[in-house]
């Protein structure tokens, strides 16, 4: 069973890396677009209204694109001053609790993101200036949140399945 979970985690991690790469591409697009917007506004004296709206709409997918990658790289901020003093079994308990909290929060936001994507798709609402369908901006963030939740659940299962360090808890 452990081999199956590890193989599934490796497969999901490939998607995690690709999604983080997509987030990096979106950041590059934003960077170029904002630079263009600043140049046109102050260099040519003709502000481009699309830059502000596009940048704002692209913030949602960028905000969550690297979330699962941060979990993969163990890059979330942690305060380990107290947990470092605990026995390995107690540390494992807090790791499981931490993953449960991430799963709960990730699940809530994944639900909200998918729900918003579906509602914006069904309503056909478009952005005010760009006239692009809003679901196109909600969908990448929703996918990122669902992937984060799935990845967290798989890592939690693997953490629970591993035996506790010997002689502790």
């Amino acid at each position: 069973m452990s081999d199956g979970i590890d193989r599934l985690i490796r497969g999901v991690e490939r998607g995690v890396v690709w999604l983080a790469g997509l987030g990096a591409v979106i950041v590059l697009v934003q960077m170029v677009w904002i630079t263009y917007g600043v140049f046109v506004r102050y260099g040519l004296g003709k502000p481009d209204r699309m830059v502000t709206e596009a940048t704002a709409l692209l913030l949602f997918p960028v905000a969550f694109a690297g979330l699962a990658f941060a979990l993969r790289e163990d890059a979330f901020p942690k305060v380990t001053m107290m947990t470092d003093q605990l026995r390995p079994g107690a540390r494992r308990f807090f790791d499981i609790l931490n993953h449960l909290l991430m799963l709960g929060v990730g699940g809530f936001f994944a639900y909200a993101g998918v729900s918003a994507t579906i509602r914006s798709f069904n309503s056909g609402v478009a952005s005010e200036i760009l006239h692009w369908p809003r679901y196109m901006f909600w969908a990448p963030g929703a996918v990122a949140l669902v992937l984060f939740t799935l990845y967290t659940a798989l890592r939690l299962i693997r953490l629970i399945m591993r035996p506790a360090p010997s002689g502790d808890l």
Side-chain angles (χ1 to χ4, degrees), residues 12 23-24 26 31 33 41 46 49 54 64-65 68 76 88-89 99-101 103 110 119 121 127 129 143 156 158 162:
V12 169
I26 292 173
M31 181 183 70
W33 207 340
R41 176 180 295 264
K46 295 176 140 188
R49 299 179 322 158
F64 298 112
F76 289 126
H99 276 73
L100 281 170
L101 289 171
L103 182 64
R119 282 194 319 261
F121 180 80
S127 61
I129 296 171
V143 167
L156 176 63
R158 182 174 65 187
R162 287 215 171 120

Side-chain angles (χ1 to χ4, degrees), residues 53-115:
E53 184 182 25
T55 304
L57 289 172
L58 288 172
L59 283 177
F60 178 74
V62 165
F64 298 112
L67 199 57
F69 187 77
L71 178 60
R72 176 182 178 255
E73 297 297 316
D74 197 25
F76 289 126
K78 293 182 187 176
V79 178
T80 60
M81 185 170 39
M82 289 182 59
T83 56
D84 285 345
Q85 304 303 318
L86 298 173
R87 296 185 322 252
R91 254 187 266 143
R92 179 176 180 267
F93 169 77
F94 281 106
D95 282 343
I96 290 172
L97 181 63
N98 186 32
H99 276 73
L100 281 170
L101 289 171
M102 285 192 290
L103 182 64
V105 172
F108 171 77
F109 280 111
Y111 171 77
V114 169
S115 176

